Each structure stands twice: as C-alpha cells, then as structure tokens.
Amino acid sequence: QVQLVESGGGLVQAGGSLRLSCAASGRTFSSYAMGWFRQAPGKEREFVAAISWTGGTYYADSVKGRFTISRDNARNTVYLQMSRLKPEDTAVYYCTADPSLIDVRGRNGGAYWGQGTQVTVSS
C-alpha cells in the first residue's frame, strides 16, 4: 500500500513558477513509477508527466519544455517544477504511483493517488 500527499499548489501569475511535491509512504517507493495528472473544471483528468524508477521522464505535449518531473528516492518524494505557467495550466494536480510505468503514463494513471493540490494561474 502506498499513500501519497501532494503539496506546493497555490496562486501564481502567468509566466511564474511553482514546484509541486508528492511525498510517498512505503518502503518500495524507489521501485515505483510516479506521475502527475491534472483536472481542470469541467474537463477530464489528463496526464501531465511521469518518471520511471530509473529516472526516465515523459511529458504531455502541452507542458513539454515548461515542466520538469524529478524524484528523490532518499526522501520518497517526486517533484513537478512548473515554469512559464499559463492560465490554461489552472487545475487540481494529482500525484499517482504504480509499479507499472505503462499504467502511470496511461489514461487512467496508476493504482495509487493523492488528494490533489490546486494550482491557479491568473492572467
């Protein structure tokens, strides 16, 4: 069982930056793929970024070049550094985890989810 807790969301102006964190419980964090999804009001939840247990990274086209996902296995934490934020990045951001990278990158995400953190980008 893995428990995930996100933090770092908030209100930022367009063009600004935020860093989200996702702290995971459990001894097997280093062997899990981790990812971020987001859900804007009235829209379906969508994939944002993923990182494999070996550090390989994957991004949605909409955030490529602006967002960076990373992980610190010693701290059981995954990060999402968001730069050059746009109003369309406004959403609740969720952390997800799964032993399978395919699942984390897939439409439905992994088996485990955090509670989400709100990111609001003002124009």
Side-chain angles (χ1 to χ4, degrees):
Q1 192 78 359
V2 176
Q3 292 185 328
L4 305 172
V5 179
E6 302 99 332
S7 61
L11 173 64
V12 63
Q13 288 187 332
S17 300
L18 277 177
R19 188 177 79 157
L20 305 183
S21 300
C22 173
S25 65
R27 303 178 185 175
T28 58
F29 172 81
S30 62
S31 64
Y32 275 64
M34 304 293 296
W36 290 93
F37 279 65
R38 66 186 181 187
Q39 186 167 20
K43 295 188 176 181
E44 291 188 354
R45 189 167 58 187
E46 64 175 4
F47 169 78
V48 175
I51 186 165
S52 70
W53 65 276
T54 59
T57 57
Y58 309 86
Y59 298 94
D61 289 342
S62 59
V63 306
K64 203 171 292 183
R66 299 188 299 120
F67 290 10
T68 302
I69 189 171
S70 62
R71 65 190 298 161
D72 184 341
N73 289 337
R75 296 178 183 271
N76 280 14
T77 301
V78 63
Y79 303 98
L80 185 68
Q81 177 67 49
M82 305 185 294
S83 303
R84 291 184 283 147
L85 283 160
K86 305 175 182 180
E88 50 264 43
D89 294 318
T90 294
V92 177
Y93 283 71
Y94 297 91
C95 177
T96 184
D98 198 280
S100 168
L101 176 63
I102 293 175
D103 286 351
V104 168
R105 293 181 63 191
R107 180 177 181 177
N108 294 323
Y112 303 100
W113 291 87
Q115 82 289 350
T117 185
Q118 176 71 47
V119 172
T120 303
V121 184
S122 63
S123 58

